[in-house]
Amino acid sequence: MDEVDRKILSIVQDNGRLTNAELAERVSLSASPCWKRLRRLETTGVIRGYQAVLDRQLMGFGVMAFVNISLTDHGERTCRQFEAAITTMPEVVSCHNTTGQHDYLLHVIAADFNTYSMLVLNRLRALPGVKEILSSLSMRELKHSSKLPFATRR
């Protein structure tokens, strides 16, 4: 990946709705080579997709929580069952298999505390192999970004 690719990635992270002509102008390329580079970045999986960033609170999700989960054992069957169940839960916006004291870290959103409590008590607690659940509720979000922090080299 060269400097032009990094510049393209930086620009599309900020605005994925630019036309190819606008993107080409910003990276000082003609439209065709710019389009080819962008398609290559997409087909190789560097760019996995495009999406709108929604305001969760305006969309009615007032609670954001980070949930640490410990499993009863680390056998492949237990882990696979837990992971398969988590992927079906739309309230779990991300799930990470982690090192340290807990096995998984979930990023969860819910409309309100009652809805969140019901998720934990009725669904997360019932998942295969769950031994311990430790929740931390966000009091306020100071920063949110999905952008990768790379700078173009000059």
Side-chain angles (χ1 to χ4, degrees):
M1 183 179 317
D2 63 14
E3 184 177 337
V4 175
D5 286 348
R6 284 190 287 280
K7 192 170 184 180
I8 288 171
L9 292 171
S10 180
I11 292 168
V12 297
Q13 279 191 126
D14 286 333
N15 185 352
R17 294 184 65 169
L18 287 175
T19 66
N20 183 61
E22 291 168 325
L23 180 60
E25 183 178 327
R26 289 189 187 189
V27 297
S28 302
L29 285 177
S30 62
S32 181
C34 182
W35 182 84
K36 287 177 184 175
R37 282 175 178 263
L38 188 61
R39 290 295 166 253
R40 180 178 42 78
L41 292 167
E42 292 169 347
T43 58
T44 60
V46 174
I47 297 175
R48 296 188 344 199
Y50 300 89
Q51 64 184 5
V53 179
L54 307 179
D55 185 303
R56 74 172 169 82
Q57 290 181 324
L58 291 176
M59 296 303 299
F61 297 100
V63 172
M64 177 171 41
F66 300 94
V67 183
N68 288 288
I69 305 267
S70 295
L71 299 182
T72 55
D73 67 84
H74 299 102
E76 184 175 344
R77 184 169 187 240
T78 301
C79 292
R80 297 301 159 244
Q81 286 178 332
F82 173 82
E83 291 170 7
I86 284 296
T87 62
T88 68
M89 297 180 166
E91 305 90 345
V92 177
V93 294
S94 68
C95 174
H96 304 269
N97 186 207
T98 59
T99 63
Q101 183 178 357
H102 303 283
D103 300 312
Y104 294 90
L105 175 63
L106 312 180
H107 177 192
V108 176
I109 60 170
D112 52 43
F113 184 74
N114 187 51
T115 305
Y116 174 73
S117 295
M118 292 297 104
L119 171 72
V120 172
L121 295 173
N122 298 333
R123 294 174 58 210
L124 291 179
R125 191 167 62 175
L127 290 177
V130 171
K131 176 174 78 174
E132 180 182 35
I133 299 173
L134 176 66
S135 294
S136 297
L137 273 64
S138 174
M139 294 181 359
R140 64 188 172 112
E141 186 173 26
L142 303 175
K143 180 181 178 181
H144 174 83
S145 177
S146 59
K147 296 178 187 176
L148 296 182
F150 64 89
T152 55
R153 296 181 196 147
R154 297 184 182 200

